[in-house]
Amino acid sequence: MTGLPATPPFSFRARLLSPLGDGGVLDEYDGLVDIDATGRIARVEPWSADTAPSGAVDLRPMVVLPGLVDLHAHLPQLPNAGLGSGLDLMTWLDRYIFPLERAYGERTATRTAPAAFRAFAAAGTTTVVAYAAIWPESTDVAFAAAEAHGIRAVIGKVMMDRLTYDSEIDPGEILETTLRQSDELAQRWNGRDDGRLRYAFTPRFAVSCSAELLRESAALAKHHGAYWQTHLSEDAGEIVEVSRLFPEALDYLDVYDRAGGVGERTIFAHAIHLNDREVSRLVESQAGVAHSPASNLFLSSGMMPLGDYLRAGVRLGLGSDVAAGPVLSMFTVMRAGTMTQRALELTGRADRSLAVPPIGWLRLGTLGGAGVLGLEERIGSIEPGKDADLIAIDPRMTTPLPGDEPRIASADDVLSRLIFRPHPNMVRAAWVRGRMLAGPPGTEPIG
């Protein structure tokens, strides 16, 4: 294998695996992809020496997939990934998370945000939707780091006007201040670099937000054409508290609906414990859900009835939810999701006929996430006309016996290996618009 191309235009030869927009699957054992000078995919077809350009780079035995979409992560929380398993949500937040977020000021973000985006890219994530902290300065720094790195990113300053960890601001000024700061950040960053960077107004969750904050932040998101992200029905205790705080609401989702926050540019993290009315309303509104099964298991939050949601038509993708999710790898998230569904089947709470196969998990982690963001026409699959957001994986790193790599014929079997035997260094390159993203030191793409 020769060196990996770093900038467009270029062409390469590799095994290609991708969901397709028409519901099908691209599984080309020996395929050709042309990337044009703008970083878009110009051609996808079987390899032929007669039609391939002379400069095509041979990436075999690499498998090239669409770049992964992580719909839910917390930038300040990465240092505590893997800590606090088994605690309930509110205890975990107080003990492990709020201290980190309180310290996520400008200096900390300057040091850690570039490393965070390199780590996402090294895990195969080319699009990340992230919560920052409540500080506007560090959110600015995070955006600047994403801009420099080249990753596709949606970021928002966390908004809280109760249970806030800002001990210096006058309580009477919190609402006005957080709205103004978020408005200013959206003006600077939403749509930057032809939409590669986008803003998400980010009220943390109903427990930490007044009805007025929810309503005003949703209005600002509509004004800017930005996203609106928050948490929904993650933990049983949280749901009880929301009911106490908002007694007039029909249910948890109705709290956000009354604020005008439920719509096509809404991203709800978790949404595990929904009633039938809430599921129907999500489908009707086309609001999106970030399914974070690794996090849900880590904090014992619950198990999403994924098959039922998909059958109902809920728009859904995947999220790592680091640090409640212990790792950044979306393949590990897929594994947690698969095991969750198996547990539901064994306990009689899920229909095996609705089980998601391995290639279906890839769809959720790529085209599904792109659909939640309204970007399915630009990213999420290897198809002509789309941006070249791609990853190259070395499948040899997933084999049980190194050096013994029999040809794996089916797409589901290839994905099953990646999901159940992921290697931390198996992602050898990640591109956004055909430009290679850097990974952490020691995991740089091979060339």
Side-chain angles (χ1 to χ4, degrees):
M1 191 189 76
T2 57
L4 290 162
T7 57
F10 60 86
S11 303
F12 64 82
R13 179 183 188 182
R15 180 165 190 173
L16 310 175
L17 284 180
S18 173
L20 296 175
D22 63 3
V25 176
L26 171 68
D27 181 10
E28 192 64 64
Y29 188 80
D30 191 0
L32 169 70
V33 177
D34 286 340
I35 311 299
D36 67 22
T38 68
R40 286 195 173 92
I41 299 170
R43 177 169 56 146
V44 181
E45 61 184 40
W47 171 266
S48 169
D50 295 333
T51 59
S54 59
V57 179
D58 191 349
L59 300 184
R60 296 175 302 168
M62 297 293 162
V63 178
V64 174
L65 311 174
L68 301 171
V69 179
D70 186 343
L71 286 177
H72 184 53
H74 293 264
L75 291 176
Q77 298 180 16
L78 264 68
N80 277 0
L83 303 181
S85 176
L87 294 177
D88 67 273
L89 174 64
M90 299 307 296
T91 302
W92 179 79
L93 287 171
D94 287 338
R95 186 177 303 176
Y96 285 99
I97 297 309
F98 289 157
L100 270 183
E101 293 194 8
R102 189 179 296 112
Y104 195 74
E106 186 173 3
R107 290 179 61 184
T108 299
T110 299
R111 176 173 54 84
T112 63
F117 293 125
R118 291 195 298 269
F120 279 111
T125 295
T126 55
T127 298
V128 60
V129 181
Y131 289 47
I134 64 173
W135 318 116
E137 298 83 4
S138 56
T139 307
D140 249 333
V141 167
F143 266 113
E147 182 175 44
H149 179 256
I151 198 168
R152 197 181 294 271
V154 179
I155 307 172
K157 183 194 91 69
V158 169
M159 308 173 77
M160 306 163 67
D161 63 345
R162 57 185 172 203
L163 300 182
T164 181
Y165 47 79
D166 186 349
S167 59
E168 297 182 2
I169 191 170
D170 185 322
E173 298 177 359
I174 292 176
L175 176 62
E176 179 184 352
T177 300
T178 193
L179 291 169
R180 173 179 51 78
Q181 291 169 341
S182 299
D183 185 26
E184 292 170 351
L185 286 163
Q187 291 180 49
R188 281 196 292 278
W189 293 107
N190 192 45
R192 190 88 154 241
D193 191 17
D194 191 28
R196 178 170 65 85
L197 303 177
R198 296 171 185 256
Y199 195 77
F201 286 83
T202 308
R204 185 180 211 106
F205 64 156
V207 174
S208 64
C209 298
S210 67
E212 187 174 4
L213 174 54
L214 295 173
R215 183 174 62 253
E216 294 300 323
S217 62
L220 282 171
K222 289 184 175 67
H223 171 74
H224 286 282
Y227 297 104
W228 195 76
Q229 63 175 352
T230 189
H231 296 79
L232 171 66
S233 294
E234 177 180 2
D235 175 87
E238 164 206 5
I239 296 169
V240 170
E241 181 64 5
V242 169
S243 178
R244 184 186 71 81
L245 292 169
F246 298 89
E248 71 286 354
L250 298 174
D251 44 45
Y252 199 158
L253 181 62
D254 192 47
V255 172
Y256 296 137
D257 224 347
R258 289 168 182 257
V262 181
E264 293 182 358
R265 287 184 172 267
T266 304
I267 307 165
F268 288 121
H270 303 293
I272 306 169
H273 310 285
L274 302 181
N275 60 41
D276 291 344
R277 193 206 72 82
E278 290 173 304
V279 171
S280 296
R281 178 60 183 138
L282 285 178
V283 174
E284 177 188 41
S285 67
Q286 290 296 286
V289 169
H291 179 32
S292 303
S295 163
N296 298 341
L297 293 178
F298 188 81
L299 292 180
S300 301
S301 298
M303 297 185 289
M304 174 190 282
L306 176 64
D308 292 338
Y309 286 11
L310 293 175
R311 179 173 56 182
V314 175
R315 294 173 68 200
L316 193 143
L318 302 178
S320 66
D321 193 24
V322 167
V327 292
L328 289 175
S329 169
M330 299 302 292
F331 293 105
T332 301
V333 170
M334 296 174 195
R335 181 172 62 188
T338 301
M339 302 310 290
T340 297
Q341 300 314 297
R342 293 291 178 272
L344 288 170
E345 292 163 12
L346 289 171
T347 57
R349 296 165 57 193
D351 184 341
R352 183 62 184 268
S353 68
L354 300 178
V356 177
I359 193 68
W361 284 103
L362 179 66
R363 178 176 290 275
L364 289 174
T366 55
L367 203 51
V372 168
L373 296 173
L375 298 178
E376 64 271 30
E377 298 301 319
R378 297 195 68 170
I379 62 172
S381 59
I382 305 176
E383 299 183 80
K386 290 197 170 183
D387 288 354
D389 289 20
L390 306 170
I391 57 175
I393 292 178
D394 188 346
R396 295 170 296 185
M397 291 186 173
T398 70
T399 56
L401 299 174
D404 181 16
E405 292 105 20
R407 170 174 170 166
I408 298 178
S410 77
D412 267 331
D413 282 348
V414 173
L415 266 299
S416 187
R417 272 280 173 83
L418 300 183
I419 291 170
F420 286 98
R421 291 185 55 82
H423 188 283
N425 295 327
M426 70 183 187
V427 178
R428 307 306 290 160
W431 297 269
V432 168
R433 295 178 179 167
R435 296 187 177 277
M436 188 181 290
L437 303 177
T443 64
E444 289 89 355
I446 54 178

